[in-house]
Amino acid sequence: MITLSESKVWLITGCSTGFGRHIAQKAIVAGYKVVVTARNVQQVTDLVAGHEDQVIALSLDVTNPDQIRNVVDRTIEKFNRIDVLVNNAGIGYFSSVEESVEEETRKMFEVNFWGLMHVTNAVLPHMRSQKSGHIINFSSIGGLASFPTLGYYHATKYAVEGISESLSQELKPFNIHVTLIEPSGFRTDWAGRSSVKTETSIPELKESIVGQMLQGIELGVGQENGDPAKAADAVIKVVETTEPPLRLLLGQQAYDTATYKFNSLLASIEQWKETTINADYK
């Protein structure tokens, strides 16, 4: 058990359910100081009970700049530093690309990408002044490979992947690590209350893989292979290692999908190698 005087300070977004709640519980049990947040703070106050010197609960909608500033200020006021930022808050959206509703997709970008970056940018000055820190950005296997009916969701996660990779290079001189967490299907609320679905109305799409996928996603809620408690253990392990990875896949499906994607990509690159290199001036 880590003593409170020696423990790192964790700031975790989206702690009401799913990954965020499991990570918060594991970090608290491990003895870390933890700031748990949710849009409705009443959903996370139970995490504080019995740990009042170690844990605080704060309201945070990651699309609200004033709340972001308040959470960061309150964390520094209470614990003097922020060592680990877990950007977990996020939502899903299911629809064919053609039928996706712009209002819903923009809302998802505000949470999954801009919200993540606004929280990160609010925390970074403190980590740079400490010359240490670890940013955990929740992506998805959907940040590496794409599937029907998730086009705009993938777009948000590909954006998180790209900016995190750049950020990791920029922050390396300051001893700040960045890790992308890339889960496959886990038993969280992601495909349930934390997502929106637009039913297909185009007959050809409804009879195609689009309709099949939308139906399969609905039937699969609560049946996913991934255990969020084990995912939380993995996040704790990554934070505690001295050389954390840039990317951590979670779940057998994530491993299988990623290896298939990159083996196929490499084969295609090699197949078209001559055409590729002949595009240069000679």
Side-chain angles (χ1 to χ4, degrees):
M1 176 70 71
I2 299 166
T3 63
L4 290 182
S5 61
E6 298 172 342
S7 68
K8 292 180 179 179
V9 178
W10 290 54
L11 169 56
I12 308 171
T13 70
C15 295
S16 59
T17 60
F19 290 125
R21 188 172 188 86
H22 282 280
I23 293 167
Q25 289 171 331
K26 296 282 187 177
I28 292 166
V29 170
Y32 291 111
K33 299 170 185 174
V34 184
V35 180
V36 295
T37 70
R39 284 180 296 175
N40 179 359
V41 73
Q42 297 304 316
Q43 294 178 327
V44 294
T45 53
D46 62 298
L47 295 170
V48 181
H51 304 280
E52 287 77 6
D53 292 337
Q54 178 189 358
V55 185
I56 57 173
L58 299 172
S59 297
L60 178 60
D61 177 342
V62 298
T63 67
N64 185 319
D66 291 335
Q67 287 190 2
I68 292 172
R69 283 191 293 271
N70 178 64
V71 165
V72 172
D73 290 346
R74 291 280 301 279
T75 302
I76 296 299
E77 178 184 335
K78 174 71 174 179
F79 296 124
N80 299 315
R81 58 189 296 116
I82 300 172
D83 298 290
V84 182
L85 168 63
V86 180
N87 282 310
N88 164 72
I91 57 176
Y93 178 71
F94 303 98
S95 174
S96 68
V97 171
E98 185 178 355
E99 297 173 294
S100 292
V101 178
E102 184 171 338
E103 180 183 1
E104 297 295 344
T105 59
R106 284 183 177 274
K107 183 191 303 181
M108 182 170 56
F109 264 96
E110 288 299 322
V111 176
N112 292 5
F113 178 74
W114 286 111
L116 177 150
M117 286 312 304
H118 289 156
V119 176
T120 299
N121 285 333
V123 167
L124 278 179
H126 300 284
M127 287 188 173
R128 280 191 291 100
S129 67
Q130 298 165 186
K131 291 188 168 48
S132 67
H134 198 159
I135 298 168
I136 304 289
N137 285 340
F138 262 79
S139 177
S140 165
I141 185 55
L144 294 179
S146 300
F147 308 98
T149 74
L150 284 163
Y152 279 97
Y153 175 77
H154 289 307
T156 68
K157 295 304 184 180
Y158 276 72
V160 169
E161 292 271 337
I163 205 163
S164 296
E165 194 165 322
S166 291
L167 192 61
S168 70
Q169 297 170 43
E170 295 174 1
L171 297 179
K172 190 174 182 179
F174 303 98
N175 192 35
I176 302 171
H177 301 289
V178 178
T179 297
L180 285 153
I181 304 297
E182 299 161 337
S184 48
F186 277 71
R187 294 185 192 180
T188 66
D189 284 339
W190 173 77
R193 73 175 185 86
S194 296
S195 67
V196 174
K197 181 170 69 172
T198 297
E199 294 286 356
T200 182
S201 60
I202 299 174
E204 308 95 280
L205 293 180
K206 193 169 186 177
E207 295 170 4
S208 73
I209 194 170
V210 170
Q212 296 166 16
M213 281 288 292
L214 287 173
Q215 184 179 29
I217 289 167
E218 187 171 337
L219 292 173
V221 172
Q223 306 300 316
E224 300 88 350
N225 289 331
D227 180 345
K230 291 181 179 178
D233 287 333
V235 172
I236 299 289
K237 181 177 180 179
V238 163
V239 169
E240 292 180 347
T241 190
T242 55
E243 294 294 334
L246 173 60
R247 289 180 168 86
L248 179 67
L249 295 159
L250 292 177
Q252 181 72 51
Q253 184 186 8
Y255 176 83
D256 292 343
T257 300
T259 52
Y260 176 81
K261 164 74 178 279
F262 288 110
N263 285 335
S264 300
L265 178 59
L266 182 58
S268 178
I269 290 171
E270 290 302 318
Q271 180 183 354
W272 288 90
K273 178 180 177 180
E274 185 175 355
T275 302
T276 298
I277 61 179
N278 282 340
D280 288 343
Y281 284 109
K282 301 295 182 182

